[in-house]
Amino acid sequence: MAYDPVLAARRVDTLIDAGDLRNAAEVLDEMPPWLVVDVLERSGTKDRAVMFRLLPKDTATYVFESLDPPLQSELIHDLHDSRVSEIFAELDPDDRAGLIDELPAKVATRLMRELDPEEQALTAAVLDYPVGSVGRRMSPEYVSTHPDTTAGQTLERVLQRIDRTETIYALPVTDDERHLVGIVGLRSVMRADPDTPIRELMNEAVSARARESDEKAARRCSGERFIVLPIVDDENRLVGILTFDDALRILQDADSEDTARQGGVEPLRRPYLSTPMRSLVRSRVLWLLVLAVGATLTVQVLEVFESTLEQVVALSLFVPLIIGTGGNTGNQAATTVTRALALGDVRPRDTARVLWQEARTGFTLGLILGSVAFAVAGLVYGVDFGLVIGLTLLSLCTIAASVGGIMPLLANTVRADPAVFSNPFISTFVDATGLIVYFLIARAVLGL
């Protein structure tokens, strides 16, 4: 049966507005849990809290875990009952850590205090690591085994802890001091003779340091197609695991953030339809102000070359072409290199190679575009004018691609977000530079 989240949300909202909570609860109970998540994300804050109270306990737990931390925080603020503590206790430690970052300190402290000692310790272990590190996103709930333990003993251990661990399909292998020495798949353990020692079944383990970037660790996990990536401390002692689904969530968040910042906005960190208008304004206004200030450079360049424009009015007709082509070329290069940087294809030490690669690419693009522009502008305005446009595009594409290519690498070197340094700032820089190149070439060729 096909479900339409929009119609479902509208139907439940109508019942709640009419005060018919019994029918609203029946409608929600008939929905698959994933649809309930969509409905809550599309509803207003007050209706969301009412809907959540109408959900059965099991569905409520699934739905709460599926919501983004900002929405979880809003629900906790609106519910004000013992159910909040129950749901908080049922979350995985890494999910609790993400929620705590969104909660007021007093609320977070109260919820932590109500956890049992074991869950408190597990959650505290995750919170000890800085935001943005993989330690903050790992699960401290795992099943490990020892090289000298047999396959049969390992299976027994898995069965004893099966309800208290994030995953059982890949098991880290540690020595007596908890140092990571390998990893073994559950399939291999189940297929082996019960008396076979794990050291004969295990493989070399690829791991990540707990204080390492979560995005970097997630890309390693995803790129190698690991079900589990063991997380270790500075002494190579096992402290947790990063599962494939958590790695995928980290990469989705990172890609959303990069896409937003390349467009000159801050990431929303929550579904669009549940984002208040003031948050949308706040996510965009700062960048618009920065870009507006940067655009004054373009105005000043036009003012400097005002006399040149007065002598050859036709030059002004091609200003949008020059600005647009330069900005697009720089943005293409920046986006390509930012993506390559995220995937580990290039590193800051490759700056010279990237510069040479993008300079050649920009020159070739400029040669193609400049030749076409020379032919078209030359036919309409004369050969000299066509030469101005052609040489400008050739020069500007080379400059824009070079700058666009190295800016993400420079940003990474100074530990800034490459996406922030990319498209918005490159567009502003290339606009001003392009006009300077354009008018200088015009003066030289046209003898102004």
Side-chain angles (χ1 to χ4, degrees), residues 46-57:
K46 292 182 179 179
D47 285 350
R48 190 182 303 128
V50 173
M51 288 182 204
F52 192 81
R53 289 176 185 272
L54 298 176
L55 296 175
K57 182 177 179 181

Side-chain angles (χ1 to χ4, degrees), residues 18-38:
D20 192 352
L21 299 185
R22 176 176 294 180
N23 279 329
E26 291 178 358
V27 171
L28 287 169
D29 192 45
E30 293 171 358
M31 295 180 186
W34 63 264
L35 181 60
V36 177
V37 174
D38 275 352

